[in-house]
Amino acid sequence: MELLKEDNYFIDMIDNENKYFIMANTDQNETAWEIYFTEHSGTKTELVLVKQFLGKKIYRVRSKAVRQMVDVSEMTESIDVKAEKTEYKVSKSKLEFFGTAYLSDENGFSQNAYIQIVDSRTGEYELYDTLASCDETKSYGDEGYFAKLFAEIELPDFYNQNSKINLVIEQDGKFYYKQINPRH
């Protein structure tokens, strides 16, 4: 901790986009850890499962909404965003998304992926985490191997049929997106 110049590594990971909390797939102590983070930080926190690779569950520790933590204001629409077998379904107040998405020539291990829903009237948006896992149809190390994505999202109040839905991928601090409902 001296080397990292940190007082409390566990508390310093709250709302820190450069740190993850990792547990074994067999460990079921998520609630206990949420209580720990909340009690020691004085702020209500939650563990958000964002990756599940190689027998590990990888979480973000959040006390704030994703939109407050991740700045996508300078993202670029890119043909390098590869989306394979992606599907989404909107029903009542939920959006469900799944498929494999990544930047070309990348396996997806170090990417972060989000769903962005943009209000058609105001341009305001909400941003949501996705869960990434291994795409078992690919071989280890292949393009997109670590990029099978899932999301189940409560739609924002502003959502309507004209809202844009974007898949956003962050790689090395840069954000790229592809609209997944292109008819709008």
Side-chain angles (χ1 to χ4, degrees):
M1 286 176 46
E2 276 183 40
L3 180 65
L4 297 173
K5 296 184 178 15
E6 294 181 353
D7 294 328
N8 188 329
Y9 183 79
F10 290 108
I11 301 308
D12 291 339
M13 75 174 30
I14 297 171
D15 297 325
N16 187 326
E17 291 304 302
N18 296 314
K19 295 181 181 177
Y20 296 93
F21 183 71
I22 301 172
M23 297 173 66
N25 276 343
T26 56
D27 192 334
Q28 300 299 313
N29 290 309
E30 289 89 347
T31 302
W33 279 105
E34 284 179 341
I35 291 168
Y36 174 88
F37 286 118
T38 296
E39 287 178 352
H40 286 80
S41 69
T43 304
K44 175 135 177 61
T45 60
E46 67 177 323
L47 296 181
V48 179
L49 183 62
V50 293
K51 299 178 186 218
Q52 198 160 10
F53 300 145
L54 310 173
K56 304 288 186 255
K57 296 182 285 188
I58 304 168
Y59 297 88
R60 293 286 191 189
V61 183
R62 297 210 192 275
S63 71
K64 300 176 184 173
V66 180
R67 183 172 184 249
Q68 294 174 307
M69 300 307 309
V70 179
D71 181 8
V72 296
S73 61
E74 294 187 28
M75 66 181 183
T76 305
E77 188 166 17
S78 178
I79 60 170
D80 290 333
V81 175
K82 304 298 179 195
E84 301 172 354
K85 301 176 192 160
T86 58
E87 294 183 34
Y88 75 96
K89 178 173 70 170
V90 175
S91 59
K92 294 187 181 181
S93 62
K94 281 193 178 176
L95 175 131
E96 294 177 64
F97 172 85
F98 59 92
T100 298
Y102 54 94
L103 293 177
S104 58
D105 299 325
E106 296 287 339
N107 64 21
F109 184 78
S110 61
Q111 78 181 22
N112 295 299
Y114 307 93
I115 298 292
Q116 180 191 47
I117 301 176
V118 182
D119 187 333
S120 60
R121 297 174 302 264
T122 67
E124 288 293 313
Y125 67 89
E126 285 298 331
L127 194 64
Y128 304 90
D129 288 299
T130 64
L131 169 60
S133 66
C134 297
D135 184 337
E136 58 282 340
T137 67
K138 299 176 178 288
S139 296
Y140 181 84
D142 282 353
E143 234 184 25
Y145 177 76
F146 292 103
K148 187 172 183 180
L149 304 176
F150 305 90
E152 187 171 304
I153 296 166
E154 289 290 326
L155 292 168
D157 292 338
F158 64 73
Y159 177 81
N160 64 42
Q161 290 183 335
N162 295 319
S163 297
K164 287 197 302 187
I165 303 171
N166 296 323
L167 172 64
V168 179
I169 295 180
E170 181 267 326
Q171 179 80 38
D172 300 326
K174 295 182 180 166
F175 292 87
Y176 307 89
Y177 78 96
K178 178 176 187 160
Q179 189 173 341
I180 60 174
N181 63 337
R183 66 182 180 271
H184 301 291

